[in-house]
Amino acid sequence: MTAIVVSGMRPTGRLHLGHYHGVLKNWLALQENRECYFFVADLHALTTHYEHPEGIRNSTWDLLVEWLAVGLDPEKAVLFIQSWVPQHAELALLLGMMTPLSWLERVPTFKDQQEQLRDKDLATYGFLGYPALMSADILLYDATEVPVGADQVAHLEIARELARRFNSLYGRTASDQAAIEAGLQALGKKARRNLEKLREDYQREGSPQLLAQAQAIVTDAASISEVTRSLLMNYLEGKGRSILREPQVLLTAASKMPGLDGRKMSKSYGNTLGLREEPEQVRKKLLTMPTDPARVGRHDPGEPERCPVWPFHQAYSSVETQAWVQEGCRSAGIGCVDCKQALVEKVIAEQAPIRERADYWAARPDDLRQIAAAGAQKAREKAAQTLARVQEVMGLDVH
Ligand code: SF4
């Protein structure tokens, strides 16, 4: 089975080193040995930034420029813009028909984001429904794996649950359905009522105890055949023929690149170093970074593990330089300015070719459009196959 990976990024501003070390380096490795679909999630950006369409338009192209600049290759991975593949919106709508409201409301980010982005009105249908759109993004391409950090596993769970629910609702043949109905009848009225209630509660809440209680009713039923018993077991769990593939989590290591103040690198903290930052800015930002508070003066020894500069050395400096930092910091043999200077040149050197390639692509909007169009064409071909399967089983006589 070919490993298929799907992942997207929202176009809400230029990328910084947190994105580069946390996401893009991972994508670069994935494009070498998997079928990859990487998309600019412009529809997702609208769920929170619907009042700023200009920003989305500009950031969409910036993102594509930066992807190409770091080495994502349209010959190796399908690079496209989400809204250019209308199947994303169509599948999201169709999934929405069978997505329980409670599943959307319990997604952890729903309330968190509403809290965090208080300046925006996020009491919208689009924002509530974004997990259905995100599920559509993944399920359209038969993804086998979705790269996520440990803190995002819950986001993928809804896509997996929706695939299961969809397959349960639409993935049964008429004869399977008839056998299930006969099996339910054979249980008797009271047991059937209990079973249906437990199944409903389990599918809504996902509690293994509810499933175990429901399974016990099926196991204890004497009046049904083994085939029917197994069909009923699948029915309880919401399993059926697989029309939508349930993707697996591809756990990615958390980015070791903190922000300039030691917290997570994030635009909202104002502690980022941009992927395309001008060398003078890089120098200025790195030289003014806070250091280990123990190094009050030049002659106070410090501890790299307590210093936000150290993870930068780990990402950019040679083993020899790292040893020099460790020794010099702990013995107060070097000053923080010396330590940072050594880093500044490395960061600027690594960014130079990225900036150069970004300038190259930014000056070629027509070529960018062509790359986006070719990617969207490939994506549409794959997505159309999934959508056709979905439309057929949902009773839409489109084809
Ligand atoms: S010498 Fe380097 S690692 Fe040590 S506190 Fe200063 S900047 Fe941080």
Side-chain angles (χ1 to χ4, degrees), residues 117-150:
L117 304 172
R118 275 171 184 278
D119 52 325
K120 296 193 167 79
D121 177 8
L122 293 183
T124 59
Y125 166 66
F127 183 67
L128 177 66
Y130 92 85
L133 179 60
M134 187 198 70
S135 302
D137 301 333
I138 296 164
L139 300 175
L140 267 181
Y141 299 98
D142 284 337
T144 56
E145 299 164 309
V146 178
V148 288

Side-chain angles (χ1 to χ4, degrees), residues 192-207:
R192 177 180 186 164
R193 220 179 18 248
N194 282 343
L195 189 81
E196 294 282 24
K197 170 91 176 62
L198 286 166
R199 174 178 178 269
E200 247 183 70
D201 291 349
Y202 165 67
Q203 295 205 354
R204 193 178 52 247
E205 296 166 28
S207 149

Side-chain angles (χ1 to χ4, degrees), residues 291-292 295 304 307 309 325 329 334-336 339:
T291 58
D292 175 4
R295 295 210 71 180
C307 176
V309 178
V325 171
C329 179
I334 59 169
C336 290
C339 178

Side-chain angles (χ1 to χ4, degrees), residues 6 39 43 80-93 132-133 136-138 140-141 379 383 387:
V6 178
F39 63 96
L43 295 176
F80 65 100
I81 299 167
Q82 186 187 23
S83 62
W84 290 29
V85 181
Q87 286 85 355
H88 286 252
E90 286 184 65
L91 183 59
L93 178 82
L133 179 60
D137 301 333
I138 296 164
L140 267 181
Y141 299 98
L387 190 67

Side-chain angles (χ1 to χ4, degrees), residues 39 63 115 131 145 166 187 227 240 361 397:
F39 63 96
L63 209 51
E115 284 289 312
E145 299 164 309
F166 189 93
L187 294 178
V227 174
W361 286 110
D397 203 0

